[in-house]
Amino acid sequence: MPIDATQPYDDQNIFAKILRGEIPSKKVFESEFALAFHDINPQAPHHILVIPKGPYVSWDDFSAKASEAEIAGFIRAVGQVARDAGFVAPGYRLLANTGMDAHQEVPHLHVHIFAGKPLGPMLAR
C-alpha cells in the first residue's frame, strides 16, 4: 500500500527493523551511512536495496535534512554496491520512489538497483 511521504518517520517500518537487527536480511554491503541487501521480492534477476542508516522517509526528506557526510556516504554506497556486484559494464537501473503517486511502500528512503537483463526504456504514461 503506498505511503504518504510527507508524514513523520515511523520507526516501526520494516527497514528500521532490519537496521536494528530485528528482521534478518541478505546483506551485501554496510558502511557508516548505508546498508544494502537483496530485495525479498525481486523485480529483476538482480535486485538490491540500499537504505541510509538515518531515519529518512523519502528522497525529499533525506535531501532536505541529512548532513553532507550522510548524503555523500549514501550516494557513494549506492555506487560501490553496483561496482562490487559487477553491474557497471552491462548496465543497471536505479529507482527511488517518493510518495503515493510513485507507489512508495516503505516509509524509509531506499534505492532499488536492478540488473541482470536488458531492462528496456522507462515509459511514463
Side-chain angles (χ1 to χ4, degrees):
M1 176 175 192
I3 60 100
D4 179 349
T6 66
Q7 295 299 305
Y9 186 78
D10 172 10
D11 69 355
Q12 294 305 305
N13 76 71
I14 190 169
F15 294 161
K17 290 178 180 182
I18 287 171
L19 284 168
R20 290 192 301 264
E22 296 169 11
I23 295 175
S25 67
K26 190 175 174 190
K27 180 172 59 171
V28 297
F29 176 88
E30 185 169 12
S31 71
E32 178 182 356
F33 301 108
L35 177 67
F37 50 92
H38 291 278
D39 194 296
I40 62 169
N41 185 26
Q43 303 299 303
H46 302 291
H47 185 171
I48 296 172
L49 298 173
V50 186
I51 63 173
K53 288 191 170 178
Y56 302 104
V57 175
S58 66
W59 195 267
D60 179 68
D61 186 34
F62 180 72
S63 66
K65 298 176 184 172
S67 70
E68 298 298 319
E70 287 175 297
I71 292 169
F74 181 68
I75 298 298
R76 290 181 190 278
V78 172
Q80 187 68 51
V81 169
R83 281 190 302 280
D84 289 353
F87 298 159
V88 176
Y92 61 95
R93 177 171 291 153
L94 300 177
L95 175 69
N97 297 312
T98 298
M100 302 284 278
D101 283 356
H103 205 74
Q104 181 181 355
E105 294 183 347
V106 178
H108 187 111
L109 170 62
H110 53 289
V111 172
H112 299 260
I113 303 176
F114 302 108
K117 70 176 185 178
L119 298 168
M122 292 288 297
L123 301 174
R125 297 186 194 268

